[in-house]
């Protein structure tokens, strides 16, 4: 997809999820404040999509307080993944029978790499998949590509929610434990959003 198409898919997925949670009126007001876009027509050409996520978290924090902002971003990430996997060719293919027949460790090892590449294109952030053990994986999310400091780290909760939805989609029979690591172990100036899975019926 082109950069314009990536921006459109990215913003539409987040706006749709926000409207689903907060309602259209509040969502339109919030998006108009941070992007001059009310959810209708073509989204604007946002040069710094990574900062957009940070700005969205800040706006939520101003209106609803920081802890509520974390919860909202988590739910938006969760909800927006459904839109993304239905509208991204690469993610659609991950739902194929062939992929689902793979052993779960192999399935995650392959599928998380595709997800990371797709999210990197959509958000403008450097994102890659890391396998830590047989049942533990991470998304390494780098700092802003434009070398600008994020004003908050709230946007990581968007990836937390999205990763949770991704895991459930891959295999709903497992129990998942997700966390945001404060420091990136690989030393790339970002953070790790990690998960491990366990059988629900050992």
């Amino acid at each position: 997809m082109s950069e314009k198409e990536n921006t459109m898919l990215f913003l539409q997925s987040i706006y749709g999820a926000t409207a689903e949670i907060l309602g259209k009126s509040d969502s339109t007001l919030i998006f108009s404040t941070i992007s001059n876009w009310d959810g209708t027509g073509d989204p604007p050409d946002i040069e710094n999509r990574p900062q957009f996520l940070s700005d969205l978290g800040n706006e939520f924090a101003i209106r609803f307080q920081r802890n509520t902002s974390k919860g909202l971003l988590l739910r938006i990430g969760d909800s927006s993944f459904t839109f993304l996997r239905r509208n991204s060719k690469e993610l659609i293919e991950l739902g194929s029978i062939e992929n689902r027949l793979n052993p779960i460790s192999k399935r995650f090892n392959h599928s998380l790499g595709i997800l990371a590449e797709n999210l990197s294109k959509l958000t403008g952030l450097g994102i890659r998949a890391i396998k830590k053990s047989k049942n533990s994986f991470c998304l390494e999310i780098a700092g802003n590509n434009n070398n600008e400091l994020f004003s908050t780290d709230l946007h990581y909760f968007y990836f937390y929610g999205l990763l949770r939805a991704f895991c459930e989609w891959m295999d709903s029979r497992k129990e998942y434990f997700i966390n945001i690591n404060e420091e990136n172990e690989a030393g790339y100036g970002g953070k790790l959003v990690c998960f491990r899975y366990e059988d629900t019926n050992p």
Side-chain angles (χ1 to χ4, degrees):
M1 290 191 295
S2 66
E3 283 297 309
K4 183 175 182 181
E5 290 172 326
N6 280 328
T7 299
M8 182 177 297
L9 183 60
F10 173 63
L11 290 180
Q12 286 177 335
S13 69
I14 295 178
Y15 178 83
T18 306
E20 181 180 306
I21 296 166
L22 295 178
K24 188 174 181 179
S25 179
D26 282 345
S27 300
T28 297
L29 183 60
I30 289 170
F31 271 68
S32 296
T33 300
I34 64 175
S35 68
N36 295 317
W37 183 57
D38 63 1
T40 61
D42 290 341
D45 184 16
I46 296 178
E47 294 184 2
N48 193 346
R49 278 170 283 159
Q51 189 62 45
F52 173 83
L53 281 174
S54 184
D55 290 343
L56 183 63
N58 287 339
E59 191 65 25
F60 285 155
I62 291 170
R63 295 172 183 271
F64 308 113
Q65 298 185 340
R66 181 177 172 84
N67 283 339
T68 302
S69 178
K70 292 178 180 179
L72 286 171
L73 286 168
L74 193 154
R75 291 177 62 193
I76 287 168
D78 190 316
S79 180
S80 67
F81 176 72
T82 301
F83 181 90
L84 292 175
R85 69 175 174 81
R86 290 174 178 171
N87 292 277
S88 168
K89 179 182 177 182
E90 294 84 357
L91 296 183
I92 289 172
E93 291 175 353
L94 295 182
S96 68
I97 295 297
E98 291 81 0
N99 191 45
R100 291 186 177 277
L101 288 176
N102 285 325
I104 186 168
S105 182
K106 182 178 180 181
R107 193 186 320 158
F108 271 122
N109 198 32
H110 166 72
S111 301
L112 194 65
I114 301 297
L115 176 68
E117 183 179 353
N118 198 264
L119 288 177
S120 185
K121 292 176 181 177
L122 290 175
T123 65
L125 282 166
I127 301 174
R128 70 172 181 171
I130 297 174
K131 181 178 181 178
K132 300 187 74 175
S133 67
K134 182 180 178 180
N135 66 333
S136 179
F137 300 81
C138 297
L139 284 178
E140 177 192 80
I141 304 169
N144 193 325
N145 285 346
N146 291 340
N147 295 320
E148 296 173 10
L149 293 175
F150 290 119
S151 48
T152 73
D153 59 359
L154 289 170
H155 61 290
Y156 289 105
F157 289 89
Y158 163 81
F159 293 103
Y160 182 117
L162 191 146
L163 189 59
R164 182 178 67 180
F166 169 78
C167 290
E168 292 289 340
W169 183 55
M170 282 286 101
D171 193 332
S172 60
R173 298 168 298 176
K174 305 296 182 183
E175 185 174 6
Y176 298 97
F177 302 89
I178 304 176
N179 69 286
I180 300 173
N181 290 350
E182 290 303 316
E183 294 183 0
N184 187 330
E185 297 172 7
Y188 284 88
K191 292 188 180 180
L192 298 175
V193 181
C194 303
F195 72 90
R196 63 180 175 85
Y197 62 83
E198 295 180 359
D199 291 323
T200 53
N201 296 305

